[in-house]
């Protein structure tokens, strides 16, 4: 089952904040977040693990609510470079875990 | 190379034609994934390799789709007798861990945009 993201699209002015939500109908063990610019490859943002551990490379924060089977990505003081489509991804359980990507949130930051 | 490389970047095929899409993962990466991305949608899993072993091909939409990674590095996704519904971007990703994407990032290539006419 594909995770559902909200909102589907958002337009921000530079410097504004945004929250992108990801909801799953299945239990979550971890949540991945990626950003994809038009015509480019998805780029890793972070992984949130059960127990609160986060692994990421960018100054973007996120939360992971295992009970609610949700994750939220927080973009603060947005920059033009934040524009793109954001995808959450949820691995399945067990040893090998293939990631099911969410419906996507298109973010546009304008000057 | 420094990243995942895919070729060709664009491919136009006539319906019924066979195509082969190539993926060069990051050197030394054990895990390799193929995804299909339709316009405006998120990537959808096709298949997974750990070295040369294809451990999961549950996402391949039909027996017209075939993937291989014979020496555990370069991978080829082949689509036989292409149909219009095969039109999409095909993404390849690699990661360094054997457990797939459990707790490590995947590096994606820029994809091959396949258009079947």
């Amino acid at each position: 089952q594909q995770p559902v993201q909200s909102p589907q699209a958002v337009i921000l002015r530079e410097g504004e904040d945004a929250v992108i939500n990801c909801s799953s109908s299945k239990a979550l063990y971890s949540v991945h977040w990626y950003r994809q610019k038009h015509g480019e490859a998805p780029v890793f943002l972070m992984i949130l693990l059960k127990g609160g551990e986060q692994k990421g490379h960018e100054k973007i924060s996120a939360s992971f609510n295992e009970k609610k089977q949700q994750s939220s990505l927080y973009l603060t003081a947005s920059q033009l470079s934040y524009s793109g489509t954001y995808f959450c991804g949820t691995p399945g359980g067990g040893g090998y875990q293939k990631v099911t990507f969410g419906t996507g949130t298109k973010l546009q930051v304008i000057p | 190379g420094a990243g995942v490389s895919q070729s060709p970047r664009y491919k136009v095929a006539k319906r019924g034609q066979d195509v082969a899409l190539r993926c060069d993962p990051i050197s030394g990466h054990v895990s390799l994934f193929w995804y299909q991305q339709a316009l405006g949608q998120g990537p959808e899993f096709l298949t997974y390799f750990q070295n040369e072993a294809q451990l999961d091909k549950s996402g391949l939409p039909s027996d017209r789709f075939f993937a291989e990674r014979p020496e555990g590095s370069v991978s080829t996704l082949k689509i036989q007798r292409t149909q219009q519904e095969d039109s999409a971007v095909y993404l390849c990703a690699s990661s360094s861990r054997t457990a797939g994407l459990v707790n490590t990032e995947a590096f994606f290539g820029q994809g091959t945009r396949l258009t079947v006419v």
Side-chain angles (χ1 to χ4, degrees):
Chain A
Q1 196 78 6
Q2 186 178 31
V4 176
Q5 291 182 230
S6 62
Q8 284 186 305
V10 58
I11 299 176
L12 296 177
R13 291 202 177 275
E14 232 177 330
E16 290 182 338
D17 301 340
V19 179
I20 298 173
N21 300 302
C22 171
S23 295
S24 174
S25 58
K26 300 189 304 182
L28 297 180
Y29 300 91
S30 65
V31 177
H32 302 227
W33 285 97
Y34 285 80
R35 176 173 61 214
Q36 185 176 30
K37 293 182 182 286
H38 183 69
E40 297 182 10
V43 173
F44 170 82
L45 295 177
M46 68 167 53
I47 293 174
L48 297 113
L49 305 175
K50 225 174 173 179
E53 182 182 358
Q54 292 187 25
K55 296 186 177 185
H57 299 292
E58 293 205 16
K59 293 179 181 177
I60 293 175
S61 63
S63 65
F64 179 20
N65 188 321
E66 296 158 33
K67 280 188 179 176
K68 292 186 179 178
Q69 297 168 187
Q70 288 180 343
S71 177
S72 295
L73 190 71
Y74 304 98
L75 304 169
T76 56
S78 58
Q79 304 170 18
L80 295 176
S81 61
Y82 286 9
S83 294
T85 301
Y86 289 76
F87 292 102
C88 65
T90 57
Y96 157 68
Q97 301 184 17
K98 64 193 178 194
V99 172
T100 301
F101 285 92
T103 50
T105 296
K106 189 170 183 179
L107 176 75
Q108 185 182 0
V109 181
I110 58 176
Chain B
V4 178
S5 177
Q6 292 187 246
S7 60
R9 285 292 314 278
Y10 304 93
K11 175 69 179 178
V12 178
K14 289 186 177 179
R15 194 169 52 184
Q17 189 178 353
D18 297 350
V19 298
L21 312 179
R22 178 188 169 103
C23 171
D24 270 283
I26 293 173
S27 179
H29 274 195
V30 170
S31 298
L32 186 145
F33 305 81
W34 282 98
Y35 283 86
Q36 180 189 60
Q37 187 173 25
L39 191 64
Q41 305 294 315
E44 290 196 13
F45 172 83
L46 292 177
T47 187
Y48 164 62
F49 288 88
Q50 182 178 312
N51 295 308
E52 69 278 4
Q54 189 175 19
L55 299 186
D56 189 335
K57 53 182 180 179
S58 61
L60 296 176
S62 77
D63 58 8
R64 296 185 297 103
F65 286 71
F66 172 74
E68 60 183 8
R69 193 186 185 198
E71 296 177 1
S73 55
V74 171
S75 177
T76 304
L77 177 67
K78 297 179 179 177
I79 308 173
Q80 297 176 325
R81 305 180 304 280
T82 52
Q83 300 177 6
Q84 283 191 315
E85 60 262 31
D86 299 336
S87 296
V89 174
Y90 291 84
L91 294 165
C92 175
S94 71
S95 73
S96 60
R97 296 287 295 272
T98 57
L101 297 181
V102 175
N103 54 9
T104 188
E105 66 183 285
F107 296 85
F108 280 83
Q110 288 191 293
T112 294
R113 182 177 295 278
L114 173 66
T115 304
V116 181
V117 298

